[in-house]
Amino acid sequence: MTNASVLLGLFVLPAIGPARMTLNVRSAPFVRVVATDYRLTLPTSLHAGLTTFRLVNQGRELHQLYLVRLSGDKSAADLVKAMKSGGPPPSWALDVGGPNGVDPGSTAPDVTVRLAPGHYAAVCVIPSADGVPHVMKGMYADLTVMQNAEQASLARSPDLTVTLQDYGYTTSAPITAGHHRLLVRNDGKQSHELELARLAPGKSPGDIPAWIEDMKGPPPAHFLGGVGPLAPGQENQLSLTLMPGHYVMLCFIPDVEDAKPHTAHGMIHDFVVR
Ligand SMILES: [Cu+2]
């Protein structure tokens, strides 16, 4: 699964978008990000425009690359401080996605994000077995996105759309085995994520949020990645290859009203790939 998606990603990325004759069109640049326990290694600055992120998890725990656009001169440390104090997400932080949680030793499917110029925090908010989110263990980094005269285009346009809502997922067509480019868009009123997992034999979708609570024993699923938290109206493209199996989409973001994870509000959607 992972190796296949990596190979396809490499194959697809250098291609130029169809019939785009503008001289300065190029395909989205590719950024490899390494996650360890507990560190995210990525460039400190990038150019604005479409950018494809590949997250390689070299740690022993689940990790994600969750990108947050900051306004008003805020830094990643300011975001961490705000997260520590709890309460609603700060108004100066905008969730813009990125590759979501992937198993230790695995590479997440590529995620393409349209980066606007400005300052960003890259974080991992997945908790350890002790319940402490990795961001509180130092797993955050600052990223500056610079103005860019060039325009990147998607190497290939999406073949499916996954819409995130309060609270659920809608796909434009059934997801089949093979390679797909999913446009993942949040049409809800609060942030949502798409964590993609493949169930282990004999496990059911509800076993996943139960396991996340204390992370005791073997995980009931393989965590394949997906798209990290997206604010309302935000979208990412997810390029992945699926083999037949029983999959689940989940959103663990705490609700703005009751702070329960969205899985408790029904944001857990299983589907079978044939
Ligand atoms: Cu959600």
Side-chain angles (χ1 to χ4, degrees):
M1 155 74 214
T2 302
N3 287 340
S5 68
V6 168
L7 288 173
L8 277 163
L10 286 173
F11 176 74
V12 166
L13 282 172
I16 299 296
R20 300 293 293 269
M21 298 307 286
T22 320
L23 279 177
N24 57 358
V25 166
R26 58 184 169 80
S27 54
F30 168 77
V31 178
R32 183 176 181 270
V33 178
V34 175
T36 53
D37 312 329
Y38 301 97
R39 190 185 164 94
L40 282 167
T41 303
L42 71 160
T44 54
S45 70
L46 292 170
H47 288 285
L50 288 169
T51 303
T52 298
F53 290 93
R54 180 169 301 165
L55 177 64
V56 181
N57 185 353
Q58 295 179 352
R60 274 166 289 182
E61 300 185 29
L62 283 170
H63 294 300
Q64 69 182 164
L65 171 70
Y66 164 17
L67 295 167
V68 184
R69 185 159 186 255
L70 309 171
S71 52
D73 291 328
K74 298 292 184 183
S75 67
D78 292 324
L79 180 66
V80 177
K81 209 181 293 172
M83 285 174 164
K84 270 185 183 152
S85 63
S91 59
W92 41 265
L94 183 73
D95 295 334
V96 297
N100 217 351
V102 65
D103 277 342
S106 292
T107 297
D110 290 347
V111 172
T112 303
V113 181
R114 188 179 294 278
L115 295 174
H119 198 74
Y120 291 73
V123 299
C124 175
V125 298
I126 296 175
S128 294
D130 62 8
V132 178
H134 298 165
V135 64
M136 305 303 178
K137 298 171 186 270
M139 200 160 178
Y140 61 91
D142 284 280
L143 168 67
T144 300
V145 174
M146 296 171 295
Q147 291 280 3
N148 189 4
E150 277 186 80
Q151 283 297 306
S153 64
L154 285 172
R156 291 166 74 191
S157 49
D159 65 332
L160 280 170
T161 300
V162 182
T163 309
L164 317 184
Q165 292 124 349
D166 314 332
Y167 303 92
Y169 300 91
T170 308
T171 51
S172 58
I175 302 177
T176 52
H179 186 68
H180 292 286
R181 297 170 307 281
L182 308 181
L183 180 69
V184 178
R185 189 181 62 228
N186 182 4
D187 282 354
K189 292 192 176 67
Q190 51 180 306
S191 286
H192 296 297
E193 66 181 334
L194 192 173
E195 174 62 33
L196 185 67
R198 191 174 68 244
L199 282 172
K203 298 296 179 183
S204 64
D207 293 334
I208 301 175
W211 180 82
I212 291 282
E213 297 248 312
D214 57 8
M215 294 183 167
K216 289 211 173 76
H222 289 291
F223 294 93
L224 305 175
V227 169
L230 290 172
Q234 294 291 313
E235 62 185 37
N236 281 181
Q237 183 178 294
L238 174 65
S239 300
L240 80 175
T241 302
L242 293 175
M243 59 171 78
H246 191 176
Y247 291 82
V248 191
M249 298 178 182
L250 309 103
C251 178
F252 297 105
I253 295 181
D255 194 73
V256 293
E257 297 289 332
D258 63 12
K260 286 185 187 161
H262 287 167
T263 48
H265 288 270
M267 205 159 174
I268 172 166
H269 167 73
D270 67 316
F271 60 103
V272 174
V273 169
R274 296 175 209 282

